[in-house]
Amino acid sequence: MRILGIETSCDETAASVLERVGDRIHVRSHVVHSQVATHRKTHGVVPEVAAREHVQKLPGVIDLALSRASTTLRSLDLIAVTEGPGLITSLLVGTETAKSLAFLSGVPVVGVNHLEGHLLSGLMNRPLRFPILGLIVSGGHTELVLVRSIGTYDHIGRTRDDAAGEAFDKVAVLLNLGYPGGPIVSALAARGNRRAIPFPRPMIDSPDYDFSFSGLKTAVRYHVADRVPTGRALADLAASFEEAVVDVVVTKAVRAARHYRVRGVALGGGVSANKRLRSVLRRRIRSEIGPIDVFQPPMRFTGDNATMIALVTALRYAKPPQSQWRSLTANPSLALTDDGEGVRVPRR
Ligand code: KG4
Ligand code: ZN
């Protein structure tokens, strides 16, 4: 089964071709056009601007993904497109393009939940033992999800305010470091002392699996007051902030993994590129739980990309499902527990 994935939920315009042969999945092409240079000027994404850039870039990105995979539209078996959550104007560019391509070619099209893409991004060609605890950390989401099987998810925790990536981005603005903040703050942090400033660990001891990061951002703001440090002190601040985020996220994930007796933990989302998060998560799972599986996406699948979108369908379906081209529509607030066919899976 040859699948074209399309992703335009926020500020990356992406297309990939995946092929499922038996139970093996092969990445035939992986194309991502990043809009970072455009959004740097405004220190964040302006939805209208992002949508316009998707309109300009998506045809070329899809064309490149097909030609790198040495395939054509009509030789595809399935088109998988992000239907939500995300920015409505950005999502619409992807869903409407996918529907048009499906209509013209007769290839079936299905909508994919962006969060399910992040959730499964580390699971390609790995033996899977369920249940698995999913830890999604991105610019828009920080979520703990119990994966009972591919497609059956229980939400067990989420952020009550800012997402982890959002906290990195906002702290970067406070420190005049530029956009997006995550990679810049974490590069600085690598040279700093993680114990220099005892920033708070919000909700680390709360009896639920929810998160909160806005208080941590405020603590950084008070610490900086009206003078942003430089040199060594700046690196120490970045390292201390990063450590607070990593500590909270990993502590809660380990506690949930133990409580639900999972057989693996799957990390995903833009913040899963964070090296400190990856190493602390792996180390603490080993020492506090034992030899369960730890799934971490390859670096190129951490940020938004279309391989993870095609991967969701490659893992869900052995053969092409029924086309949704009449019903498919962008849904900016799609939840992970609304499955692809629009059926709610309410369990908690
Ligand atoms: O998943 P993603 O590409 O987009 C969303 O779906 O939100 O995540 C982007 C987020 C941004 O907030 C960015 O600052 C953060 O991921 N990020 C990082 C790192 N690389 C990207 N945060 C911390 N450390 C990193 N190395
Ligand atoms: Zn994302």
Side-chain angles (χ1 to χ4, degrees):
M1 181 167 63
R2 202 174 288 169
I3 308 157
L4 170 69
I6 298 174
E7 155 65 38
T8 63
S9 68
C10 187
D11 59 344
E12 327 285 342
T13 316
S16 293
V17 176
L18 247 65
E19 194 161 348
R20 176 172 165 167
V21 183
D23 281 338
R24 292 294 297 176
I25 296 165
H26 305 267
V27 182
R28 300 298 186 208
S29 64
H30 173 90
V31 180
V32 181
H33 163 74
S34 169
Q35 302 184 0
V36 159
T38 303
H39 302 306
R40 197 169 276 139
K41 295 166 206 149
T42 45
H43 305 289
V45 180
V46 176
E48 171 77 18
V49 174
R52 282 183 188 213
E53 196 158 326
H54 285 309
V55 170
Q56 285 164 2
K57 298 291 178 181
L58 187 57
V61 165
I62 291 173
D63 195 31
L64 191 58
L66 291 173
S67 66
R68 284 193 182 157
S70 306
T71 192
T72 59
L73 186 60
R74 285 189 176 73
S75 338
L76 297 170
D77 299 298
L78 184 64
I79 299 171
V81 62
T82 303
E83 61 177 326
L87 303 170
I88 182 68
T89 45
S90 287
L91 288 165
L92 279 168
V93 180
T95 54
E96 297 314 299
T97 302
K99 280 156 69 179
S100 303
L101 294 178
F103 178 70
L104 292 170
S105 64
V107 175
V109 61
V110 290
V112 169
N113 187 309
H114 180 81
L115 293 177
E116 189 175 4
H118 281 309
L119 178 65
L120 307 183
S121 61
L123 305 188
M124 193 186 296
N125 296 327
R126 299 280 303 268
L128 302 179
R129 302 181 300 163
F130 298 98
I132 292 170
L133 179 76
L135 170 58
I136 306 170
V137 274
S138 72
H141 294 84
T142 305
E143 322 243 332
L144 281 169
V145 179
L146 192 63
V147 180
R148 296 184 187 276
S149 64
I150 300 295
T152 314
Y153 308 118
D154 294 348
H155 241 132
I156 61 173
R158 56 175 61 72
T159 183
R160 295 189 182 175
D161 40 58
D162 293 350
E166 193 179 354
F168 272 93
D169 295 339
K170 287 180 174 172
V171 163
V173 171
L174 286 175
L175 303 179
N176 305 322
L177 292 175
Y179 171 87
I184 307 172
V185 172
S186 67
L188 258 176
R191 295 187 269 120
N193 174 3
R194 293 187 281 269
R195 284 188 284 272
I197 306 156
F199 282 125
R201 267 66 170 157
M203 295 184 71
I204 198 165
D205 292 320
S206 68
D208 49 45
Y209 296 111
D210 285 349
F211 302 93
S212 165
F213 293 105
S214 75
L216 178 56
K217 171 197 65 195
T218 307
V220 173
R221 179 181 292 133
Y222 282 136
H223 187 85
V224 172
D226 33 37
R227 226 193 98 247
V228 175
T230 52
R232 178 87 214 164
L234 182 62
D236 286 351
L237 201 165
S240 302
F241 162 76
E242 180 182 70
E243 196 64 2
V245 175
V246 169
D247 194 12
V248 175
V249 167
V250 174
T251 298
K252 291 228 145 163
V254 167
R255 197 181 300 147
R258 210 191 276 124
H259 177 82
Y260 289 97
R261 297 173 196 277
V262 298
R263 302 179 74 187
V265 174
L267 180 66
V271 185
S272 71
N274 188 280
K275 294 206 175 73
R276 180 74 185 157
L277 174 61
R278 292 169 85 99
S279 73
V280 173
L281 182 68
R282 191 176 288 280
R283 182 163 45 76
R284 285 188 55 189
I285 286 173
R286 285 281 168 279
S287 66
E288 295 173 40
I289 301 180
I292 63 169
D293 300 322
V294 181
F295 303 99
Q296 302 195 340
M299 280 298 174
R300 64 186 186 141
F301 302 156
T302 57
D304 291 345
N305 67 90
T307 298
M308 69 181 194
I309 301 306
L311 176 63
V312 169
T313 58
L315 290 172
R316 273 180 177 242
Y317 312 113
K319 56 185 178 47
Q322 213 184 357
S323 185
Q324 299 171 347
W325 81 265
R326 278 180 194 279
S327 57
L328 179 64
T329 173
N331 180 352
S333 52
L334 187 68
L336 194 57
T337 43
D338 294 336
D339 86 3
E341 281 81 44
V343 181
R344 253 191 104 66
V345 191
R347 282 206 216 125
R348 211 173 144 91

